[in-house]
Structures are given as C-alpha cells and as structure tokens.
Amino acid sequence: MNATRTHPHRRPLAGSDVLPYVYRVTKYDPADRDQHGHYAGAEPATSDHGPVEAAYLRAVAAFAEDTGVDKLAIREPQLGGFVHFGLESPIDGYGLADLFSAGPAGFHDGALVPIAVCLELVRAMLRDNGAWCRLEAEGAFTVHVGWDQYLYIGSNLPCESALTHTRALGLFPERLDASPYDFAPDDPTYVQRPADADFWARLHWTVSAHRAVFLEEVFAANASRWHRLTRDSIETVRSQLAPRSQLAVWPDLLTDVDTAVAALPDEGLVEVIWEDKDGQITSTVVDETQFEALTSKLAGARAAGVVSMYAGEDLPLFTAVLPDSDGVLRARWQTEPTLSDRDWAFLKTLRRGQVVTGTVTTVASFLVTFVDIGGFTAMINVPELSWRYINHPSDVVSVGQEITAEVLDVDMVRERVPLSLKALQPDPMLDLARQVGQIVTGPVTRLVPFGAFVRIEDSEDGFEGLVHNTELADELVERPEDVVQVGEAIAVKILEVDPTRRRIALSHKQALAVAPERHRHP
C-alpha cells in the first residue's frame, strides 16, 4: 500500500531501542504451548470484558507504578479502516469515545495521556475495537498489545513488585529479550521530509501555480481529513492540523464530476473524494462492489477525484510529516516518496559553491542546457556556459557530454539548481585588464548609433570593446559609419577593462596619436 495511505495493523517489527526489562504478560499458561511456543490450549483469544481484562489493566498499572511513570505518549496510532482484522466485531468510536476532547483527531502521535487514559486504550486494544497504538515513555516504559491477548511491557527497571502482583492476578509474566512490536522503520535509510519552512514555501508556490490543491492530513493510520487549499486558506488550515500528521499535497478535484466517475477502475480499492454544493469535503474508500452506490452520491457534487489505494499507481505532488513546535521531527511515519520528495532529499545534500559532475541531457532551443546530476535535472543558462560570447549552447556543450560545474544556488521552493560551467574556469578578461594602456589592431564587428565595437583578440570569440563616438576622431562624430566600416581593421587603445560589468572601453583617436610601430594586432 502507498505509505501515505497505508492501513497497517499490529505488524510485528524488529526491536529498536530495546529497554533492558521486557515482559510478555498473558492469561495463557506456558504449559499449554506447543513446541513452537504457540498457545495450544482452550482459552478464547478474545477479551472476556470482565475479570481477566481487568487483571491485564491492573498489571499495566502496577508496572507503571514500579517504573514511576504517570503519563505515556501515544505512538503510531491506527484506526480500523475498510478491513477489520480482529476476532471481535468493530464498534462505533473504536473504543475511544470520551477519551479525547478533540474526538478521534486527539488520538494522534505524540499525544501525552495519563495512565487512566492509557488503561482505557489498552482495554480498547484488548477488545480489538479497531484502535491500536504503542504507548511509550521514552527510555523508561512501553506497553504494546499484540495478537491473541498478548501484552508486552518494557521498563528500565526490573519491577519485581509488579511481577509479583501480576502473578497474583492469575496472569503469566515471562521475560523476553524484546517486544515483537518495538518500532522499526520500513526503510532505516530513508530521510523523511518534514513540513518545515521550505515545505510551506513550496506549498504556497504550488497553490499559486495551480490556483488550488488538496491537502490530505493523516493524523492516524486509516484516519484522514481533506482540505482544499487556496492562497487565502493555507494558513488557516495549517493552524488546524493535528500534531505530527502525515501530509500529502494532491492536484485539485475535477469540476467535471462525470470525468472523475469515469476514472473509476474496473476493480480494486480506491479513495473517492468529493466536495458537495456547500463546500463540505468527504472521502471514502470503496471497491468495485460499491461503485454504483457511490456514483449516486456524487450526483450533486461540485467536484470529485479518484485516488488508487495501491502503491505507485497514484502519487501526490509531494508529501511531508509535521515536526513538533520546536522544529524537530519526532513522528516516525514514513511517507512513500514522490519524485518531488526524492528531489528534496537530493537538494538537501547540495550547497552553493559546491562542485558537481553531471551529464548533459538536453541543449534546449531557448538557450538553456539541462544536466543530470545524480538523477536530478539542473540547468545552465547561456551566460554561465562561457566567459566569452557564444551564439548557442551547442558551441560549448553537447548531449551526452560529461561536465563539471559549480552550484550557483539551491532553490528549495521551485526545486531548481542553476549551475555555472565558467565559474570553474579562469576569467580571460582578468588577463586583458592587465593590458590597459596598450594599443592593438582589430576588426570593426558592428556599428551602433553611439559608436563602434572592435574585436581586440585574434579569435572568433575574442572580446569586443566599444569605441565611443567621442573616441573615434578628434573632430565631432555624429555617425560612426562616417569614420569606420564593419570589417575594417583599426588601431585602438585599451582605456578600461571592467570584468564585473563585462565592459571594455577603447579609443581610436588616442591610438592614432601613437607611433605605428607600437601597434599590435590581436
């Protein structure tokens, strides 16, 4: 499943940051296990909603008391989705009713709750009501509820009193090396994009470019809200997002609802999002058995969209996860990276002035060269290809050529990286600046109303300088063609060379005042 749209449920994971004391607490007698350690007795795998369940809760409370913990953080919360995995029937509210003042949105990653609420969450998980999470006090205490009434409790202390109390309750605590439900990322090497200043700047730019986009806010696995963003609504929506939410930016809905309906596949799971005539946004996950009923619901919709639930089929424009208020990303969600997210990760490795190598992929007709640098397409504008004047990028580079260039800037908002080829080459105009005062002979290349340009180097791409009308002759010159013609070789004195402004000032009349033997040809 697409990780921004995943529906995990109690997936055992390899241990990570394991506490020194981990216990599996169950109602099952170890004598009733087979050679593989699996329970083989007659005890039901569902909660009794009575004394056994109460014993589990008292055991959790005892371990928390021994550890000295009175609050735990909710981590990786999940709500039952379109598929129910448990043995008991799901209930409305997932067993979370009245636990959070903000409703289900209060059941978010990082929410700090007192032990009394933690026990109610454990109760909901024991009953498989459709809500699940890890409960943790970092580095001190953890509670995980697993399949078939298995409880995993981790502590930084041995909790001998709690162990004695748990046995007295008729439960069986067993020491383990780790909980099978300890968190481990899907991809330990993946760097998650945070919803930081760069993200919001990119979102503003994207909304300006598209006029409107949709923001999907996933505050718990299987639980999402959709927001239509315009330039005027971004900050309002941002202030209402649940902490540590996964965010996915999607193109705007189709106002042609019939076209949206036509996008429904022949079969498979899709999420359908629609906006009614009052601006209310609704989404639901359906399969082919529900398409016909859903189509009738969309009859009066203002706009609609269809998104596949399968990985790689439909991806948002870009994704992120909300950091905490101090800017630190502590949520452990991983979104499925889009092309933009991969570009972001690469751009974070670049800095201005960095030297990179790449391969020319395109020499565009609009005088821009595109270069592949590590899978990202950077660009070189014509002025950055050479210190000298060129007619076309193909005068300097060709498709397939490997080049080395300097990074001029890293634009995280527009995801652009301009490069410079010439920055790694010496500026020949600096050598020319040391020739100020010398006299050279060169051809007139063009005439303009205020003077004549003369090439002062002996090459087709040689630098040109301007002989202003006032420097063409001793007498007043109204038109340069009255004194010189294009192609004519004339002597000029180099008056000034300005490498920063790329300007060279020449004088013909001052050159004429010098003996001919001092003239040199370019």
Side-chain angles (χ1 to χ4, degrees), residues 119-238:
L119 296 179
E120 290 307 312
L121 291 173
V122 171
R123 186 194 305 276
M125 289 186 272
L126 289 170
R127 295 184 181 188
D128 202 14
N129 285 339
W132 190 85
C133 66
R134 296 178 177 88
L135 294 167
E136 300 181 359
E138 188 174 358
F141 189 64
T142 59
V143 180
H144 304 151
V145 180
W147 289 111
D148 301 337
Q149 303 286 289
Y150 281 84
L151 201 62
Y152 298 90
I153 300 175
S155 175
N156 60 349
L157 299 173
C159 301
E160 295 294 344
S161 175
L163 287 169
T164 300
H165 184 61
T166 299
R167 294 187 183 99
L169 290 168
L171 300 176
F172 300 92
E174 303 168 77
R175 181 81 179 269
L176 300 178
D177 292 331
S179 164
Y181 294 90
D182 282 334
F183 175 80
D186 294 330
D187 180 0
T189 65
Y190 178 56
V191 179
Q192 175 60 54
R193 183 176 189 167
D196 55 10
D198 287 336
F199 171 86
W200 292 105
R202 172 126 183 106
L203 183 57
H204 275 275
W205 181 81
T206 303
V207 169
S208 296
H210 291 259
R211 295 187 180 177
V213 298
F214 264 78
L215 181 70
E216 181 185 14
E217 170 200 5
V218 180
F219 55 87
N222 302 338
S224 64
R225 296 184 295 194
W226 291 79
H227 311 273
R228 189 170 190 266
L229 300 182
T230 63
R231 283 182 292 182
D232 297 331
S233 67
I234 291 178
E235 293 307 314
T236 299
V237 170
R238 180 179 178 181

Side-chain angles (χ1 to χ4, degrees), residues 294-374:
L294 180 66
T295 301
S296 62
K297 287 186 179 180
L298 300 179
R302 178 190 297 174
V306 176
V307 176
S308 172
M309 296 298 294
Y310 298 106
E313 291 191 2
D314 287 316
L315 289 177
L317 301 174
F318 51 98
T319 68
V321 174
L322 275 177
D324 290 351
S325 57
D326 59 2
V328 177
L329 184 59
R330 296 186 178 89
R332 299 183 295 214
W333 310 114
Q334 285 188 345
T335 60
E336 182 176 353
T338 66
L339 178 60
S340 177
D341 296 336
R342 294 187 182 97
D343 287 346
W344 166 85
F346 179 74
L347 294 182
K348 294 293 284 186
T349 69
L350 299 180
R351 66 185 185 280
R352 186 178 298 180
Q354 183 175 343
V355 176
V356 296
T357 60
T359 303
V360 176
T361 58
T362 308
V363 179
S365 59
F366 48 92
L367 305 184
V368 175
T369 298
F370 294 101
V371 183
D372 183 320
I373 53 170

Side-chain angles (χ1 to χ4, degrees), residues 283-297:
S283 71
T284 186
V285 175
V286 293
D287 61 17
E288 65 277 5
T289 64
Q290 300 159 295
F291 287 171
E292 184 175 349
L294 180 66
T295 301
S296 62
K297 287 186 179 180

Side-chain angles (χ1 to χ4, degrees), residues 9-10 47 49 53 78-81 84-97 99 120-132 145 149:
H9 188 87
R10 307 186 185 185
S47 173
H49 296 221
E53 179 182 275
Q78 304 174 26
L79 290 179
H84 181 65
F85 294 87
L87 298 177
E88 296 193 39
S89 300
I91 66 169
D92 293 339
Y94 310 107
L96 306 179
L99 291 185
E120 290 307 312
L121 291 173
V122 171
R123 186 194 305 276
M125 289 186 272
L126 289 170
R127 295 184 181 188
D128 202 14
N129 285 339
W132 190 85
V145 180
Q149 303 286 289

Side-chain angles (χ1 to χ4, degrees), residues 471-486:
E471 294 295 333
L472 277 172
D474 290 330
E475 65 274 9
L476 179 64
V477 176
E478 293 184 356
R479 301 187 311 163
E481 55 264 37
D482 293 338
V483 181
V484 295
Q485 300 298 316
V486 172

